[in-house]
Amino acid sequence: MAGPKDVSEAASIPILYEDNHILVVVKPVNMPTQEDESRDPDLLSVLKADLKHRHHKPGNVYLGLVHRLDRPVGGVMVFAKTSKAASRLSDAVRTRQFDKTYVAVVHGKPPQPAATLRHFLRKDTRTNTVSVVKQGQPDAKEAVLDYQTLGSADGFSLIKIKLHTGRPHQIRVQLAATGCPLYGDQRYGSTVNKPGQQLALWSTELAFEHPTLKEELRFRSVPPEQHPWFLFASDNY
């Protein structure tokens, strides 16, 4: 349940845009998008508490979750402040009218400077891990992304990723399958990463049609100036 701690947590969450229908923020790294078994402060609860506090709202505050970021991932997220906005944004995600761009630092260099990756993924809910499987296997779902290599340094590459599907752990699994696991990814790159390293994946841009104004909105955020991001000039993003 949201409380004073959630309100104080909200002070560290940048708000990029807010109106009566949507709220766009920069998700901090290592904060769950919604409540999980860890019971740590989660972004959805923190933002609800902040809205209640800032707008002096009585009772429960509505805030709709229309997309997610893995706990270690930071960057731009949009939330719906009305059920109408939630429905329309969810439709945009489902029909692939919701443009999501990420940047990541990976080990090595991808096999091609730019390409489309297409795999079939299956999630094991018992272990919360995802694996690449053959098409037609039970519970296999198609995963598609485009990537472009932006630069290389010190054995790492900076890549830009556009998602066409939104499968769990998709970016991490697909890039690991090409032989280029993400920096800091203990789950899908444990042989090349060390415990304690921060996953280098950032939601850098969102573009979508405003659910009521019908205007295209575009929001950007850049990764923090820390290793391994500082290996690459920020204008690459």
Side-chain angles (χ1 to χ4, degrees):
M1 181 176 292
K5 185 178 179 182
D6 293 312
V7 174
S8 63
E9 290 271 359
S12 63
I13 300 173
I15 296 176
L16 301 182
Y17 178 85
E18 182 180 5
D19 62 19
N20 291 335
H21 302 278
I22 62 173
L23 175 64
V24 183
V25 303
V26 179
K27 175 189 174 294
V29 297
N30 297 326
M31 176 180 276
T33 297
Q34 61 188 132
E35 187 175 353
D36 62 15
E37 64 278 359
S38 73
R39 310 296 289 181
D40 291 337
D42 66 278
L43 186 59
L44 184 62
S45 297
V46 166
L47 293 176
K48 282 185 177 182
D50 182 56
L51 287 173
K52 183 179 179 68
H53 176 73
R54 285 193 294 114
H55 299 303
H56 309 289
K57 289 182 174 289
N60 293 328
V61 172
Y62 180 86
L63 195 63
L65 184 65
V66 296
H67 67 121
R68 292 170 175 79
L69 292 177
D70 290 349
R71 178 171 182 148
V73 182
V76 188
M77 285 192 72
V78 59
F79 292 82
K81 293 176 65 177
T82 64
S83 57
K84 177 187 288 187
S87 176
R88 291 178 178 176
L89 287 173
S90 295
D91 282 345
V93 172
R94 181 178 54 80
T95 58
R96 303 185 184 181
Q97 303 300 309
F98 192 86
D99 191 14
K100 294 180 282 189
T101 304
Y102 296 77
V103 287
V105 177
V106 301
H107 289 267
K109 291 184 180 180
Q112 298 172 277
T116 297
L117 298 182
R118 190 181 304 271
H119 295 95
F120 286 84
L121 306 182
R122 182 172 61 196
K123 182 175 182 178
D124 185 334
T125 55
R126 293 176 297 107
T127 60
N128 193 30
T129 56
V130 177
S131 55
V132 175
V133 298
K134 292 182 179 180
Q135 182 178 359
Q137 288 202 13
D139 301 321
K141 294 183 178 180
E142 187 177 36
V144 183
L145 62 78
D146 298 329
Y147 75 81
Q148 177 186 355
T149 306
L150 302 178
S152 297
D154 291 356
F156 300 106
S157 295
L158 176 70
I159 60 173
K160 180 170 71 172
I161 301 147
K162 281 195 174 289
L163 277 183
H164 296 293
T165 54
R167 309 303 181 198
H169 301 180
Q170 176 180 342
I171 294 173
R172 299 161 64 183
V173 176
Q174 289 197 269
L175 286 166
T178 70
C180 294
L182 270 63
Y183 175 91
D185 193 345
Q186 305 301 316
R187 185 164 297 183
Y188 303 106
S190 59
T191 60
V192 291
N193 291 307
K194 298 176 182 177
Q197 291 178 332
Q198 176 60 50
L199 181 72
L201 178 60
W202 194 263
S203 170
T204 193
E205 185 170 287
L206 281 186
F208 54 89
E209 185 180 85
H210 190 283
T212 61
L213 301 178
K214 303 303 182 183
E215 298 172 353
E216 184 183 78
L217 301 178
R218 189 173 294 270
F219 301 98
R220 287 185 53 79
S221 170
V222 296
E225 281 287 326
Q226 61 189 43
H227 187 77
W229 299 112
F230 63 48
L231 296 173
F232 306 94
S234 59
D235 56 7
N236 279 324
Y237 306 137

